[in-house]
Amino acid sequence: MSRPSRKNVTTSPHALPPALASWAEAIGDAIGRGMARALHNSGLDSLGGNSTVLSSMRRRGRPPKLVTTGPVPPERRCTVSGCDRESRSKGLCSAHYQAERRRQLAAGKPS
């Protein structure tokens, strides 16, 4: 993959000596290649599709739920009417359980 050549553009009335300009351009290209290599090695170069951006870092917290096929059986659904999510605790899905927990804490009751 070749880069298009750049035109020498000077923004000051004093131009750099050709050797120094060449050296500065080589350093800039080397830094850019180093950054590209670092991003590629960490998995951040492909931010779309099925990329695993943080694949090298250990995930904290609850592991992601495995995707299961089909709807949740009625006996395992959240007890809130209109909610089709799976119950986690006390017959409530995680969203409704946390909402109830926040309501109880705001009222001054222990959870």
Side-chain angles (χ1 to χ4, degrees):
M1 186 169 137
S2 66
R3 294 179 56 170
S5 63
R6 296 185 208 161
K7 294 180 182 178
N8 281 340
V9 178
T10 58
T11 57
S12 69
H14 305 294
L16 292 173
L20 185 57
S22 171
W23 177 80
E25 188 169 338
I27 291 293
D29 288 342
I31 290 172
R33 282 191 306 272
M35 290 298 294
R37 190 178 314 115
L39 290 173
H40 175 72
N41 289 341
S42 68
L44 295 176
D45 64 329
S46 58
L47 292 177
N50 286 335
S51 68
T52 54
V53 173
L54 300 174
S55 61
S56 63
M57 295 180 63
R58 184 170 178 221
R59 187 181 184 288
R60 295 176 58 177
R62 180 191 299 260
K65 185 174 180 178
L66 298 175
V67 177
T68 58
T69 57
V72 178
E75 64 274 4
R76 294 184 60 197
R77 283 192 193 141
C78 180
T79 56
V80 174
S81 63
C83 182
D84 293 331
R85 292 182 287 228
E86 182 180 5
S87 64
R88 291 267 186 194
S89 180
K90 298 182 181 180
L92 301 172
C93 66
S94 58
H96 289 116
Y97 178 81
Q98 287 299 323
E100 181 61 29
R101 185 171 176 268
R102 282 191 298 271
R103 275 193 291 276
Q104 287 181 359
L105 287 173
K109 297 178 186 175
S111 58

